[in-house]
Amino acid sequence: MDSVSSQNIKEEKKFAIGVDLGGTKIGISLVSSHGEIREHIKTPTNAQQGKDIVIRKIKHSIHQIISHSEIGIENISGIGIGVPGQLDPRIGIVHFAPNLPGWKEVPLCRMIEEEFQVPVVLENDANAAAWGEKSFGIAQGVKDMICLTLGTGIGGGLIFDSKIYHGNNFAAGEIGHIMVNKNGPLCNCGNFGCLEAYSSASGIKNRISRRVKELKIDDQNIFYQKDLNKISLAKIFELARQGNPMVKDIVDEAIEYLGVGIASLVNLLNPEMVVLVGGLTNEGDTLLNQVKDIVFHRALKSNLVNLKIVFGKLKDYAGVTGAAALLWQSD
Ligand SMILES: [Zn+2]
C-alpha cells in the first residue's frame, strides 16, 4: 500500500478503541483521532478470576461501547490495548503480567482480532500513558520526553524523536527500578534501593510499616489502628504536612529520591519534557515544585536548558487515549 492510500484510510477512519487494562480496573474508550472520548466504560478487572474471564470482559465491554455509539465497527481503525506487564508488540503476545494471575504467553492481539476483525495493537501501560500525553495531552508537539507513572508502583515511558523507545527486548523504561541507593529498602523486584521502593505509594507505605515496627510506636498510632493499605496516600501526605516526624521523614525522602532519579534521567537522556502522571500528582504544585527544585539543583546545567517538568493533563484517560492513538502512529 502506498503512503497516499494509507493516509486516506487513516483520514477516513477517525475513531479507535483504547483499552487500559489494569490490575484492579479496566478502562475502555471510543476515541476520535482528535483525542475526544465518545464513549467510556470502567469495570473491575477481577484479575483473580483468571485470564479467560478478564479477556471475556474486555470483549464484552468493547461490544457494549460499539453498540452504544453511532460509530459502526467499519469506521474504527482498530483497538489498542495497554497492558501492565512484559509483552512483545510485534507479535501481540503478553509474556507476563505480575498483577494479572495466569497471564503467561497470552496471544492477546489474535484473540481480540478474531472477535472484532479489526487491527489490534499492544503496548506496555506506561508507554500507552506516555503516548496519550504526547498525542493529546501536555506533551503535544514534544519530540523527546520521559513520562513517569507514579502510582502503586512506578512505571516509565520513553519517547524519542516522537517514537516510543522499546529497547532491545521491549523492556525499556523501567524507571521504577533504577537504583538510587545500593543499600536502600527491598523492592518488589527483589533488588534493593530502587526508586519504586522509596517513591511509589507501595514503597512509602512499606517504609512506614517497617518504621512503625522498628520504633515500636504505641498502639494509639493511626498506623496500628488501620490496615495501612486502607490509608490513602493523601492522608499520608497530610500527616507529613502536619509535622508527624516519622511520616514527614519518609515522605521527604520519597520526594528527594524522586528528584534525584529524574535528575539522573535528565543527565542521561536530555529530554525536552518530563511528564509526571498517576496518584502522587494529586499532591499538586507543592510536590511538583519540590521535585523541580531538586532536579534543577542536581542535574547538569547543559541538560536543564528549556527543560519542562510538568504534570500530565489527561489524568485517568492518558492510558485509554494513548492506547487508541497507537493506531495512528506514523511509521
Ligand atoms: Zn526494583
Side-chain angles (χ1 to χ4, degrees):
M1 185 182 291
D2 65 41
S3 62
V4 175
S5 54
S6 162
Q7 186 62 36
N8 285 344
I9 285 174
K10 279 179 187 170
E11 281 173 5
E12 280 164 20
K13 299 196 173 183
K14 293 183 189 296
F15 297 91
I17 287 175
V19 179
D20 185 11
L21 171 58
T24 54
K25 58 183 188 298
I26 307 169
I28 301 183
S29 296
L30 176 66
V31 183
S32 80
S33 56
H34 300 293
E36 181 195 356
I37 292 180
R38 289 293 188 93
E39 300 281 343
H40 183 73
I41 289 179
K42 194 162 83 173
T43 179
T45 311
N46 294 337
Q48 68 288 350
Q49 292 178 357
K51 77 169 180 356
D52 293 339
I53 290 183
V54 174
I55 292 168
R56 211 177 305 149
K57 195 179 262 202
I58 293 171
K59 289 179 183 173
H60 176 72
S61 300
I62 295 173
H63 278 298
Q64 265 188 305
I65 287 252
I66 294 168
S67 63
H68 280 177
S69 80
E70 295 153 7
I71 317 290
I73 188 83
E74 65 281 2
N75 294 311
I76 288 172
S77 304
I79 299 166
I81 309 176
V83 179
Q86 294 165 11
L87 50 86
D88 187 334
R90 291 171 310 181
I91 53 174
I93 287 180
V94 179
H95 293 311
F96 171 66
N99 298 320
L100 299 171
W103 284 67
K104 287 217 170 92
E105 306 304 328
V106 180
L108 188 59
C109 277
R110 182 174 57 73
M111 295 166 95
I112 303 294
E113 265 166 11
E114 279 172 2
E115 182 83 9
F116 296 98
Q117 304 295 318
V118 294
V120 178
V121 290
L122 281 191
E123 191 51 87
N124 169 273
D125 59 345
N127 286 346
W131 193 245
E133 291 293 347
K134 153 85 179 147
S135 304
F136 305 121
I138 194 82
Q140 290 178 65
V142 173
K143 287 171 74 177
D144 300 312
M145 63 173 276
I146 302 169
C147 180
L148 282 84
T149 59
L150 306 168
T152 309
I154 294 180
L158 307 175
I159 293 175
F160 299 123
D161 203 15
S162 297
K163 288 186 170 56
I164 298 172
Y165 178 75
H166 289 105
N168 180 46
N169 211 18
F170 297 94
E174 291 291 354
I175 292 172
H177 302 289
I178 58 171
M179 284 147 275
V180 289
N181 178 358
K182 75 183 175 74
N183 297 318
L186 179 65
C187 179
N188 294 325
C189 73
N191 203 343
F192 292 88
C194 296
L195 181 60
E196 180 167 302
Y198 280 106
S199 308
S200 67
S202 66
I204 291 170
K205 288 181 181 186
N206 286 341
R207 294 194 72 212
I208 290 174
S209 178
R210 276 198 294 271
R211 196 72 65 87
V212 166
K213 284 181 192 135
E214 282 163 18
L215 298 176
K216 297 188 172 58
I217 291 171
D218 68 66
D219 60 3
Q220 296 302 307
N221 189 280
I222 181 173
F223 299 113
Y224 263 119
Q225 291 167 8
K226 287 182 89 167
D227 175 0
L228 202 52
N229 285 324
K230 292 189 180 139
I231 297 179
S232 67
L233 202 60
K235 180 70 186 169
I236 289 171
F237 272 76
E238 188 190 320
L239 288 168
R241 279 194 297 275
Q242 288 168 353
N244 179 313
M246 174 196 66
V247 180
K248 185 173 182 326
D249 188 36
I250 289 170
V251 165
D252 284 350
E253 269 200 322
I255 296 167
E256 178 86 24
Y257 278 112
L258 181 59
V260 166
I262 293 172
S264 295
L265 293 169
V266 164
N267 283 351
L268 180 69
L269 301 168
N270 187 205
E272 182 181 341
M273 185 178 277
V274 176
V275 182
L276 309 179
V277 303
L280 210 68
T281 63
N282 293 333
E283 293 310 310
D285 286 347
T286 311
L287 173 85
L288 184 61
N289 290 333
Q290 284 173 293
V291 171
K292 276 186 189 172
D293 282 350
I294 297 163
V295 176
F296 279 82
H297 183 67
R298 291 205 177 230
L300 294 168
K301 297 285 164 284
S302 54
N303 293 38
L304 293 170
V305 178
N306 299 325
L307 174 70
K308 295 175 204 72
I309 302 176
V310 295
F311 285 157
K313 210 163 95 177
L314 304 175
K315 305 290 176 194
D316 288 347
Y317 299 101
V320 280
T321 51
L326 294 169
L327 274 303
W328 301 305
Q329 284 181 100
S330 55
D331 296 325

